[in-house]
Amino acid sequence: MLVAAAVCPCPPLLVPEVAEGAAPEMDTARAACGDALGVLAAARPDLLVVVGPAGQPGCGPYPEGTRGSFRGFGVDVDVRLGRDMGAASGRELPPSLAVAAWLLERAGWSGAPVEGVGVGESSAPERCAAAGREIAARSGRVALLVVGDASACRSLKAPGYLDERAEPFDAEVARALGQADTAALMALDTERAHELKASGRAPWQVLAGAAEGAGLSGELLHDDAPYGVGYLVATWS
């Protein structure tokens, strides 16, 4: 059963070495992510599952100990998902889960075992919800760290350029996350999310499926778009 969840963005810019001179601009988001992970630790889960967007070859499970890096962004920073389990996994973490692993390492996570799940950004809502229900049923006390960005079309310099639909889309997501409104998350339009480059849509719908019947309350900790990309941080407990 799902006992707690943290929702965080997953831009590599959260990692100071990647952000370089712009690192201070993400300090507030980093602090909010740290607070969200504190809620997960306080819930004392038996299992922590990290869920993030991934390209189709990157979908599927990532066992504890899987490694990742930010070398593709020009920095010599390596991460590991949870504890070192000896033999390395056959593949690396996708960027979203590498950011999640970095957040966990930064927070000094030493609680429950950690596993990762990469979700295809084009996955149908029903499939996402079913995956969430399966995750929630895996243990008596399951926690989720759900990573993904809101729209990337909030300004002229945004990766997706300015789209007037982006701000209201993000506002509805922020409201739904802040109120643990699973129905609203499931109602997010898949095509619109794709057009607005909102990578968090599928992971949020995994969360919605996992939270069915759990009776959790939400709190929005952070809502900003410093680079024209919506970064949201929330907790469910």
Side-chain angles (χ1 to χ4, degrees), residues 56 59-60 117-135 186 190 201-203 205-207 209-210:
Q56 204 56 42
C59 292
V117 176
V119 185
E121 293 184 43
S122 62
S123 297
E126 298 78 11
R127 183 176 179 182
C128 294
R133 288 190 289 269
E134 291 176 4
I135 291 171
M186 288 304 302
T190 303
R201 190 274 308 170
Q205 291 177 334
V206 172
L207 168 61

Side-chain angles (χ1 to χ4, degrees), residues 108-174:
W109 181 267
S110 60
V114 183
E115 299 177 8
V117 176
V119 185
E121 293 184 43
S122 62
S123 297
E126 298 78 11
R127 183 176 179 182
C128 294
R133 288 190 289 269
E134 291 176 4
I135 291 171
R138 291 187 52 194
S139 181
R141 297 184 64 81
V142 177
L144 286 181
L145 171 54
V146 180
V147 297
D149 299 337
S151 71
C153 303
R154 293 278 294 274
S155 71
L156 293 174
K157 294 184 178 180
Y161 197 65
L162 178 65
D163 189 317
E164 62 183 12
R165 301 172 299 170
E167 189 168 351
F169 177 90
D170 287 357
E172 172 58 12
V173 173

Side-chain angles (χ1 to χ4, degrees), residues 97-108:
L97 297 188
V99 171
W102 181 85
L103 289 171
L104 289 169
E105 289 184 5
R106 180 173 180 265

Side-chain angles (χ1 to χ4, degrees), residues 37 53 116 127 185 209:
L37 290 178
R127 183 176 179 182
L185 292 177

Side-chain angles (χ1 to χ4, degrees), residues 150 167-180 185 188 204 219-220 222-223 232-234 236:
E167 189 168 351
F169 177 90
D170 287 357
E172 172 58 12
V173 173
R175 186 205 63 78
L177 291 175
Q179 297 180 11
L185 292 177
L188 291 175
W204 299 330
E219 181 179 2
L220 186 67
H222 180 77
D223 179 359
L232 302 170
V233 180
W236 292 16

Side-chain angles (χ1 to χ4, degrees), residues 8 31 33 51 68 80 83 88 93-95 132 142 149 183 187-188 194-195 202:
C8 295
C33 290
V51 180
R80 185 183 67 237
R83 299 167 296 177
L93 296 170
V142 177
D149 299 337
L188 291 175
H194 174 73
E195 292 171 354

